[in-house]
Amino acid sequence: GNKDVIASTHYDNSYNFFIQVYGRKKWILFPPKDNYKNIYLWPNLSPYYHQSQVNVLDIDLKSFPKIQDLKNVYEIILEPGQLLYVPPFHLHVVESLSLSISVSVINPSNEERIYNQAYWEPLPLKHEWNIATKIYFIDYYIKKLLSYIINGDIDVSLTKSDYQQIIKDLLYENRFHQYPLMNNIKSCSDLVSVYQHIQKE
C-alpha cells in the first residue's frame, strides 16, 4: 500500500497473522473486553457493523465522548520482517507510514466456525404447526442455541425431552395448563391436537 493509506477502525472474526514484508505500518489495537462499549460500533443491521464510527486518528470528542474511556490501547510500529498476531474481534486501525508490502494470513476462529454452523442450522419446525406454535418454538430454539454457543457446543438438536418441556411451557404460558389434555401430550403432534381442540371451543 501507499504511504498514508489508512484502514479505519474495525474488527475481524478470524485469527489474523500479519506479516510486514516491506515498509512500515502503525497499528493501534483495542481489546474488545475493555473497549466494546466505548468504541461506537455501527449497529448490527448496518453493512458497516464490524467498524467503528470514530476516526481514532482525529477524534471528535463532542460527538463521541465515551472514546476517552478506552483502556489498554496498544500502539505498534511494524517493521519489515516482523509478524503481528491479531486475535479475533480485536478492533484495530492501520496506517501505512511508508510505501509498504504486507501479507495477511487468516484462519477462521472457533467463534466464526460456530456462528457459521449455527447460521445454517435448519429450524426444527413442523409444517402443520400454527403461527403461535412456530413463534414459541423459534424463541425457545434461539435461547437454546445461544446457551450452546456460550458453552462452546455446536450440537443444537432438540431432544424428545426438550420438546415435551416446550409443550408444557407453551401451554402454561398461554394459560392452557387447566386443560386435562396436557397430561396426554407426549409428542409434537399431540400439541397440534390440543391446539385444534382449543380452537374449536
Side-chain angles (χ1 to χ4, degrees):
N2 293 325
K3 182 181 178 181
D4 299 327
V5 171
I6 298 172
S8 60
T9 309
H10 67 285
Y11 69 84
D12 300 302
N13 300 329
S14 305
Y15 302 113
N16 186 359
F17 298 89
F18 192 90
I19 306 164
Q20 190 64 31
V21 178
Y22 177 84
R24 302 164 71 240
K25 283 189 175 179
K26 179 170 74 173
W27 284 70
I28 304 175
L29 295 102
F30 312 90
K33 183 177 180 181
D34 301 321
N35 300 301
Y36 180 78
K37 295 181 179 179
N38 302 321
I39 200 67
Y40 295 93
L41 291 173
W42 287 96
N44 285 338
L45 295 179
S46 166
Y48 310 108
Y49 69 92
H50 65 296
Q51 298 181 17
S52 171
Q53 302 175 52
V54 183
N55 178 1
V56 297
L57 300 178
D58 185 18
I59 298 173
D60 179 359
L61 291 177
K62 186 176 180 179
S63 300
F64 306 105
K66 291 192 295 183
I67 204 76
Q68 299 176 92
D69 298 327
L70 293 175
K71 301 176 182 178
N72 298 321
V73 178
Y74 300 94
E75 184 172 317
I76 301 165
I77 305 297
L78 208 58
E79 305 283 353
Q82 293 183 330
L83 180 147
L84 176 66
Y85 166 62
V86 184
F89 308 107
H90 275 58
L91 290 125
H92 53 275
V93 57
V94 186
E95 179 182 7
S96 293
L97 301 179
S98 66
L99 181 67
S100 64
I101 300 173
S102 311
V103 176
S104 184
V105 180
I106 294 176
N107 191 48
S109 65
N110 292 332
E111 293 84 358
E112 188 175 12
R113 178 179 57 85
I114 292 171
Y115 172 83
N116 288 336
Q117 284 199 253
Y119 187 85
W120 294 106
E121 184 75 18
L123 290 172
L125 303 177
K126 301 291 184 180
H127 177 72
E128 64 269 21
W129 294 351
N130 62 25
I131 296 299
T133 308
K134 289 181 179 179
I135 291 173
Y136 186 89
F137 270 75
I138 290 172
D139 176 70
Y140 178 91
Y141 184 78
I142 290 173
K143 291 174 182 175
K144 181 179 173 73
L145 176 63
L146 290 174
S147 69
Y148 274 116
I149 290 175
I150 290 170
N151 294 323
D153 191 342
I154 58 175
D155 179 10
V156 294
S157 58
L158 295 179
T159 64
K160 182 178 180 180
S161 61
D162 286 325
Y163 276 105
Q164 290 174 346
Q165 187 60 49
I166 293 172
I167 291 166
K168 290 180 180 179
D169 290 345
L170 176 59
L171 292 176
Y172 182 80
E173 290 195 9
N174 286 278
R175 304 191 178 189
F176 296 146
H177 57 282
Q178 69 271 23
Y179 287 89
L181 288 171
M182 188 189 79
N183 297 324
N184 298 324
I185 292 176
K186 296 180 181 178
S187 68
C188 296
S189 60
D190 293 335
L191 174 63
V192 175
S193 298
V194 170
Y195 265 97
Q196 290 173 344
H197 176 81
I198 292 171
Q199 289 169 353
K200 290 177 182 178
E201 295 188 349

